[in-house]
Amino acid sequence: MTEHWQDHYQRWTTFANLDPELRAQLDSLRDDPHTLEDCFARPIAFGTGGMRGELGPGINRINLYTVRKASAGLARYVTAHGKAAMDAGVAIAYDSRHKSRTFAVEAASVLGWHGIRVHLFDRLCPTPLLSFAVRHVGAFAGIVITASHNPPEYNGFKVYGADGGQITPATAEALLTHMEEAGDELRIAAADEQALRASGLLRTISGELLQAYLERLESCRIPPAVQSAGDPVRIVFTPLHGTTYEAITKGLDAFGYRHVTVVREQADPDPSFSTVSSPNPEEHQAFRLAIQYAKKDGADLILATDPDGDRLGVAVKHPQGDYVVLTGNQTGALLLHYLLSQKRRSGALPANGVVLKTIVTSEMGRAIASDFGLATVDTLTGFKYIGEKMGEFEKTGAYAFQFGYEESCGFLIADFVRDKDAVQAALFMADACAFHKAEGRSLYDALLQLFATYGYYMEDLHAITCRGRDGMAAMASILSRLRSRPLTEIAGKKVTVVEDYLAGERRDVALGTTALLTFPKTDALKYVLDDASWFCVRPSGTEPKIKLYVGVKGTSLEEAEKKLAALKQAVGHLLKTP
């Protein structure tokens, strides 16, 4: 370790009041200098998603002290905006992970010490309900203690603005400056929880908020086809040990779905996520138990949410009796087409409607939106950019938001929430299933109809892990090499467009012209080919990985699968070639 890292380590080991659990963990690492170096080499990164990392001691881990320092930074930011911001306060929620409740109380105690009002949930809460709560109680900001679908050894600190959306890059930079000014993380002041409650600075958000949320959601509902009493929609639901059990079971009941089976082994919160290798509904293994239940019950639909309830995974019944796990793009296409078709049927589809999606989300959404006369606007990867666009269009009136989604199973239907919302998506997916079943179709049949109408779109995601101290350098090297060697052809197809989001340029290869991109600058490259295929390469914002997104359009499922495999193989080889 360098002397600078050793200084941080020395500070922690000599701090008299160090949390006993963290001290024991430090003692256990004495003979592991490499891990100690990683724990103290640098402060944990803080960006637009807040901070996320492994639990443990040190300035590069999530723990009591790094949470206090982040909270102190937010407190200084709120205080800088004056008494009105302090009185509006901060709403705080937490998920089912290790120490989430503890960290939420610590954040509240630090904010309260600064005289800032805090609205703290009294139970586990899905992230979208925090977004709703910020707007509902008129808070100046919000915090969720969560690491989303990361492994159980992770946790995080996610910050929201007054609009209920994730903070923007400019706000993240300001918060980071305030965090640095807060000083030594071991000496951040915090008030007593009970004293804050007695003073009125710490208030409780109870179950009434969920009821208000569900009432707002039901008011946005398009009445679905009436279910047949003899053949009702049968649903299997799993919260994957996370936060959505109460919200989704109550929501489905309020929406009239009575034949709902919950996967009992995954119903209770479990910070170790003991029945899955990963609590990520994008992955097929997360559906193993749910599919067993569905086969037994003859279910029409399987719904699975990630631990903090912002991502929804869906599996549907195949005509041969098995269950097919849909991609986020396929679920998004089914939801989008259902919503737009029902709005048009009821006369509720606005002329200036807009669909928001990310640059790595399927082009099928654009084709569907266009068919209904709607515009599609792309954003950078990350739902914070979709939320930001929603706010922009709300102010200007240029577009009326209809649907937002990203390929990683994130969907938003009703704009009283400003982040991806698995509760909304689950309830409206049930409605879509009921509609199609009443028409004599399964959701799988409906997906095949969309393919036949709009084209056989198929996408995939591949990640290249770049671990260790050299991981960041390796990721930067891959992107730098791609920029230094302009690509003109791949997998037998010509490159027609190159979008460099770091340079902020869109280059039309065929015309030889260059135009400016209007996105915030980020390290990503996207290539469009002459057969409408595309691929995008970017570093992950939350993990030490390079992410490769690939998309194709075919005239049949078989052709699309072949095109996808060929392009994925060619690009994978390109990234590994020095």
Side-chain angles (χ1 to χ4, degrees), residues 259-475:
H259 295 78
V260 178
T261 301
V262 179
V263 178
R264 61 180 178 273
E265 296 92 336
Q266 298 170 336
D268 294 333
D270 175 6
S272 298
F273 310 116
S274 55
T275 66
V276 291
S277 58
S278 170
N280 186 353
E282 295 177 80
E283 299 178 10
H284 289 206
Q285 57 80 25
F287 285 84
R288 181 181 60 84
L289 283 174
I291 288 174
Q292 292 177 12
Y293 274 72
K295 288 180 176 179
K296 182 179 178 180
D297 295 349
D300 303 290
L301 174 66
I302 303 175
L303 303 169
T305 56
D306 69 343
D308 72 322
D310 61 0
R311 298 178 191 231
L312 174 73
V314 172
V316 298
K317 193 172 185 178
H318 189 277
Q320 296 180 353
D322 208 344
Y323 288 82
V324 178
V325 178
L326 303 184
T327 68
N329 286 314
Q330 292 168 345
T331 298
L334 283 167
L335 277 171
L336 176 60
H337 190 271
Y338 167 72
L339 292 166
L340 298 187
S341 63
Q342 298 310 298
K343 285 186 177 183
R344 184 163 66 182
R345 176 183 59 81
S346 63
L349 191 62
N352 67 335
V354 68
V355 173
L356 299 175
K357 73 176 191 67
T358 71
I359 59 173
V360 296
T361 300
S362 174
E363 288 299 301
M364 190 175 195
R366 193 186 310 278
I368 294 172
S370 178
D371 190 33
F372 285 86
L374 270 61
T376 299
V377 173
D378 286 347
T379 72
L380 291 180
T381 305
F383 222 89
K384 56 183 171 285
Y385 296 110
I386 290 178
E388 192 175 22
K389 276 293 178 187
M390 291 170 66
E392 176 189 323
F393 294 152
E394 186 177 55
K395 289 178 182 177
T396 65
Y399 291 109
F401 173 78
Q402 301 301 300
F403 187 66
Y405 76 120
E406 57 186 6
E407 48 74 36
S408 54
C409 295
F411 316 100
L412 182 63
I413 296 156
D415 65 0
F416 61 82
V417 170
R418 293 299 168 93
D419 200 359
K420 52 186 177 285
D421 186 341
V423 181
Q424 285 190 15
L427 302 192
F428 276 83
M429 200 69 198
D431 277 355
C433 184
F435 168 77
H436 288 296
K437 187 167 186 177
E439 295 284 318
R441 293 182 297 269
S442 69
L443 282 171
Y444 186 81
D445 294 332
L447 180 62
L448 293 182
Q449 280 192 357
L450 292 183
F451 284 143
T453 302
Y454 299 104
Y456 292 83
Y457 290 85
M458 195 168 289
E459 298 80 25
D460 202 0
L461 167 64
H462 177 65
I464 300 173
T465 301
C466 303
R467 293 192 181 279
R469 288 169 290 178
D470 299 327
M472 294 299 292
M475 290 193 290

Side-chain angles (χ1 to χ4, degrees), residues 2-284:
T2 69
E3 185 174 334
H4 178 65
W5 299 336
Q6 288 175 332
D7 287 345
H8 289 304
Y9 174 55
Q10 185 70 11
R11 254 189 330 109
W12 277 60
T13 55
T14 58
F15 184 62
N17 296 318
L18 191 71
D19 177 75
E21 182 180 355
L22 291 174
R23 185 174 295 282
Q25 290 172 353
L26 274 180
D27 289 344
S28 71
L29 293 174
R30 283 179 178 172
D31 298 326
D32 187 358
H34 178 74
T35 300
L36 277 179
E37 179 179 305
D38 189 48
C39 288
F40 291 96
R42 65 191 67 82
I44 192 166
F46 190 96
T48 54
M51 62 184 189
R52 188 186 303 181
E54 293 183 51
L55 292 161
I59 62 174
N60 192 31
R61 294 290 188 268
I62 298 292
N63 53 60
L64 169 73
Y65 304 105
T66 52
V67 166
R68 282 182 179 174
K69 184 161 185 173
S71 303
L74 178 59
R76 294 169 69 92
Y77 177 80
V78 175
T79 302
H81 282 78
K83 189 175 187 305
M86 296 170 68
D87 289 345
V90 178
I92 302 178
Y94 53 93
D95 69 6
S96 58
R97 289 179 175 272
H98 293 291
K99 297 189 175 296
S100 283
R101 164 74 184 175
T102 298
F103 293 157
V105 172
E106 288 297 333
S109 298
V110 171
L111 290 162
W113 189 88
H114 285 264
I116 297 168
R117 191 178 310 281
V118 176
H119 312 270
L120 178 65
F121 275 81
D122 67 353
R123 66 195 70 191
L124 303 179
C125 168
T127 288
L129 262 72
L130 182 279
S131 174
F132 173 72
V134 170
R135 298 168 65 87
H136 187 71
V137 305
F140 181 77
I143 297 170
V144 183
I145 305 297
T146 180
S148 189
H149 58 281
N150 280 64
E153 62 268 22
Y154 280 71
N155 213 326
F157 182 100
K158 197 172 183 180
V159 183
Y160 286 75
D163 64 346
Q166 297 178 41
I167 57 172
T168 63
T171 301
E173 288 182 16
L175 283 174
L176 182 57
T177 298
H178 284 299
M179 284 175 59
E180 292 168 347
E181 292 171 349
D184 186 349
E185 69 281 348
L186 298 175
R187 301 181 185 280
I188 300 294
D192 175 73
E193 178 187 355
Q194 295 307 317
L196 288 177
R197 291 190 184 278
S199 71
L201 278 178
L202 180 54
R203 298 178 176 180
T204 296
I205 296 178
S206 65
E208 293 177 357
L209 184 122
L210 173 59
Q211 186 59 38
Y213 167 93
L214 292 175
E215 288 173 0
R216 284 291 305 274
L217 188 56
E218 194 158 8
S219 72
C220 303
R221 190 184 187 196
I222 309 162
V226 178
Q227 297 185 63
S228 167
D231 190 19
V233 171
R234 298 181 182 276
I235 299 169
V236 168
F237 164 57
T238 172
L240 294 178
H241 304 295
T243 59
T244 62
Y245 175 84
E246 181 182 21
I248 288 183
T249 54
K250 285 186 175 181
L252 288 170
D253 184 66
F255 271 41
Y257 295 101
R258 303 288 183 257
H259 295 78
V260 178
T261 301
V262 179
V263 178
R264 61 180 178 273
E265 296 92 336
Q266 298 170 336
D268 294 333
D270 175 6
S272 298
F273 310 116
S274 55
T275 66
V276 291
S277 58
S278 170
N280 186 353
E282 295 177 80
E283 299 178 10
H284 289 206

Side-chain angles (χ1 to χ4, degrees), residues 550-570:
V550 181
V552 301
K553 179 184 179 183
T555 57
S556 68
L557 283 175
E558 294 76 15
E559 185 197 22
E561 287 173 353
K562 289 179 181 178
K563 290 177 71 172
L564 187 70
L567 182 57
K568 185 177 176 181
Q569 182 181 34

